[in-house]
Amino acid sequence: MIAIIGGGKMGEALLAGLLATGHEPGGVLVAEPDPARSEALRQRYGVSVVSPAESAGRADALILAVKPQDMVDLLDRLDGAIGAGTLVVSIAAGITTSLLEKHLSGEVAVVRAMPNTPALVGRGMTAVAGGAHTTADQLDHAESLLRSVGEVVRVAERHMDTVTAISGSGPAYFYFIAETMIEAGVAMGMTREAAKKLVTQTIGGAAAMLDDPGAHPVVLREAVTSPGGTTAAAVRELERHGVRTAFTDAIEAARERSRELSEG
């Protein structure tokens, strides 16, 4: 039995992903405090909606999809209700495995996961790190659950703040680029609809090429950059304005902020 505590956007994305990848509605429980939201999820997916304590007692795998600021209170309420051998997976940003273990009695297997928002459309990127009592098989199980909404990579927990900075915040960087490119097209006389279509397809196509085995961003960029051509002129301006350094600094700032949040 799988239980999801928290029926917000990411919790629902995981619910939809699990059902789409072969899990039966009867094998998934949802705990959501908002009655209207609970009823909507029950009707939409045919799952049982129960209390957090009941979900913890019945589940073999428990996914905690609540806000970081609500996590400690939830853990304290669940302590003692979680069955022996239950796998606990947290997708709350900044919540460490040591914090999860501190608020749960016994040697509970915990996994810290960091998904990103493309999980909402089944194209997410999630990093996972296991706790002190988590076996390799349990970490494999956590990965299989999270793979229902995209790709999964296993990392050492010390890298989780970097993961947050790169993939957790990463979609915002691309939206920033997309917004800038669209506005440039509009400023040069294109319709917003046409500019958005051009930018969306260009970014999606470029990402697909980068996903090919053996592909390297430098090689792909150089393939587009003819000597003395339009792309060379554009890249020269990006370098002149220090865009590469700005992006590196931005990612480092995001990592440091993630560390601050993790430390409370």
Side-chain angles (χ1 to χ4, degrees), residues 157-180:
E157 188 167 9
R158 67 180 182 276
H159 296 312
M160 272 297 193
D161 294 312
T162 301
V163 168
T164 299
I166 293 175
S167 68
S169 299
Y173 311 152
F174 283 90
Y175 300 145
F176 186 88
I177 293 170
E179 177 188 1
T180 301

Side-chain angles (χ1 to χ4, degrees), residues 4 15-16 45 50 63 67 76 82 84 118 128 157 161-162 166 171 186 189 200 227 243 253 258:
I4 301 172
L15 171 58
Y45 298 103
V50 298
I63 301 174
K67 295 177 181 178
D76 290 342
I82 296 176
V128 298
E157 188 167 9
D161 294 312
T162 301
I166 293 175
V186 172
T200 301
V243 172
S258 178

Side-chain angles (χ1 to χ4, degrees), residues 28 49 124 162:
V28 183
V49 178
T162 301

